Amino acid sequence: MKLRSLIGLVLVVAFVFAGAYAVVFGVSFGMYSFEPMRAISLGMDLQGGTSAVLRIKDPGEDSTEGAAPLTEQELYDAQHEVLRIMRARLDEKGYTGATLEMQGDREIRVNLPINETSAFRDADQIVKYLAVKGDLTILDSDDNVIIPSSQIELVMAQEDSMGYRYLSFSLTKEGKEAFEKATAEIAERGISQEDYSNRNYIKLHYEGTDIAQATIKSAIETGQGSVQTNIPMYQLEELVQVVNNRPYSVEVEATEMRSVSPSLGQNALRGMMIAGIAGLLALALAMILCYRVPGLMAAISMLGHTALVLLFLAVSRLQITAFGMAGLFVGALCMAAMSLMIVNGFKKEFLAGKAPRAAAKSGCGAGAKSVFYAGLALCAALLVFILFGIYELSSFAFAAGISVICAILCAVVLTQPLVRLMVGTVPDGHAIYFGSKKEAE
């Protein structure tokens, strides 16, 4: 029993340290590498980024036909439409921490961080992506619009095993009827008398350019289609994101763009990391001094919790701001408290006179239940901040929530087994638990 517990203890501790090393420093496997720290996204206050101003253009500005300017209500609707679509486009690219704010009646300032995890490294690309109207239409051979963008419900990018790329589309009910009627007429067209070219085809037209063409041989009744295109896949995927989030009903142009340094200073992140590491080490040392070997098990669990949180942040691509960093540190304190709830459950049963193994089993189990209920209550409180708090509070609550959830998991499936394996390895080591019973009391 002692040997089995010892092997289990060594394996769990080795797994925690190896996992923490892999997450923090990264590992390579031939052509592949595992570097979660490089994938963690930081906010503008810690990393800096780009600030751009985009302006809603009036239809009459560049028109030679004397288009009427937007009314006050139309401008109001355009503001909210553009803000909503810009927010969706940024979220699609992982810029969940980007901020949008109106400046006057027509200008929108966009602040977004740029770092190694960003979808775009070039500020020009970002502005172009946000400013593009996203108008995809289907034309006939005479450049007549047969399906406007409003009747295109969904588009998808596909690539077959031969490397051929396709843009597939699905139409609304109204678009389906119009497409069936239009394709029936197009299929009956013959050869042009002017240049002897075929006229029975349709074209996908995006932002002033024909991007794909397909011959129509009969009426299409399904309201769906797939057209081969030569556009690179990354551009095709970007087109899909823009079109599926709906095009603007107005034109948008960039009027300003500049780089922004971290608002908290160049060394803010480094200072926060040093302070956090020092705080966690001091907390771990205090737990070991107060609780001896069970405290050491709790400290090892804190290391596993830190690695799990960092891994989750890398996978989720949640942008971390200074408020988010504060939330992570609060979650780390919760992890320490939850681990000590497990240890104190063991201590209580041990002082009650139970044998160490029996005390570890019942005490850790009772502590795990307390951890679970306390964690749920804390998550519920954080959910209120997420739903009803301002951006800064939401950023704090999101990060703290992730850290608390990881803390519940680590306390239950890591601290509890470590304490029980430790007791199973040294079942008569009363002095290394909390000292003698008299001392512990």
Side-chain angles (χ1 to χ4, degrees), residues 32-51:
Y32 304 97
S33 61
F34 177 73
E35 298 177 306
M37 292 294 287
R38 294 175 63 89
I40 294 178
S41 180
L42 301 175
M44 285 191 70
D45 52 355
L46 300 176
Q47 186 73 27
T50 292
S51 179

Side-chain angles (χ1 to χ4, degrees), residues 314-332:
V315 173
S316 67
R317 305 296 294 274
L318 175 70
Q319 284 186 349
I320 298 300
T321 64
F323 292 94
M325 292 288 284
L328 295 179
F329 292 147
V330 168

Side-chain angles (χ1 to χ4, degrees), residues 103-141:
Q103 293 186 169
D105 294 333
R106 295 181 180 274
E107 292 185 335
I108 301 171
R109 179 170 291 279
V110 184
N111 296 313
L112 67 164
I114 297 181
N115 47 55
E116 291 184 353
T117 66
S118 301
F120 295 126
R121 305 287 181 84
D122 186 346
D124 290 330
Q125 286 182 303
I126 299 171
V127 173
K128 182 180 178 181
Y129 172 68
L130 291 177
V132 66
K133 188 174 182 181
D135 204 8
L136 177 69
T137 56
I138 301 178
L139 312 179
D140 64 11
S141 58

Side-chain angles (χ1 to χ4, degrees), residues 97-246:
T99 60
L100 301 170
E101 57 182 16
M102 289 298 304
Q103 293 186 169
D105 294 333
R106 295 181 180 274
E107 292 185 335
I108 301 171
R109 179 170 291 279
V110 184
N111 296 313
L112 67 164
I114 297 181
N115 47 55
E116 291 184 353
T117 66
S118 301
F120 295 126
R121 305 287 181 84
D122 186 346
D124 290 330
Q125 286 182 303
I126 299 171
V127 173
K128 182 180 178 181
Y129 172 68
L130 291 177
V132 66
K133 188 174 182 181
D135 204 8
L136 177 69
T137 56
I138 301 178
L139 312 179
D140 64 11
S141 58
D142 297 325
D143 291 334
N144 298 313
V145 177
I146 59 174
I147 299 295
S149 58
S150 60
Q151 294 180 0
I152 298 177
E153 188 172 48
L154 181 70
V155 293
M156 293 184 294
Q158 298 173 321
E159 187 173 21
D160 63 20
S161 58
M162 301 295 291
Y164 294 111
R165 295 176 294 278
Y166 298 87
L167 185 63
S168 301
F169 58 87
S170 178
L171 306 178
T172 62
K173 182 179 180 181
E174 183 183 2
K176 177 182 176 181
E177 295 173 356
F179 194 56
E180 180 180 356
K181 181 179 179 181
T183 52
E185 189 272 327
I186 291 172
E188 296 177 355
R189 291 183 180 181
I191 297 177
S192 171
Q193 298 299 317
E194 296 180 1
D195 56 7
Y196 300 101
S197 61
N198 289 326
R199 300 174 60 244
N200 59 334
Y201 62 87
I202 60 170
K203 299 182 291 186
L204 298 186
H205 191 75
Y206 181 72
E207 291 299 307
T209 304
D210 294 335
I211 60 172
Q213 180 175 308
T215 300
I216 302 299
K217 297 181 179 179
S218 61
I220 299 176
E221 302 174 355
T222 60
Q224 298 176 337
S226 185
V227 185
Q228 186 177 340
T229 178
N230 293 323
I231 295 179
M233 195 62 186
Y234 75 94
Q235 292 183 5
L236 205 57
E237 290 174 345
E238 185 176 303
L239 179 154
V240 167
Q241 290 174 343
V242 170
V243 173
N244 285 340
N245 284 319
R246 314 316 304 167

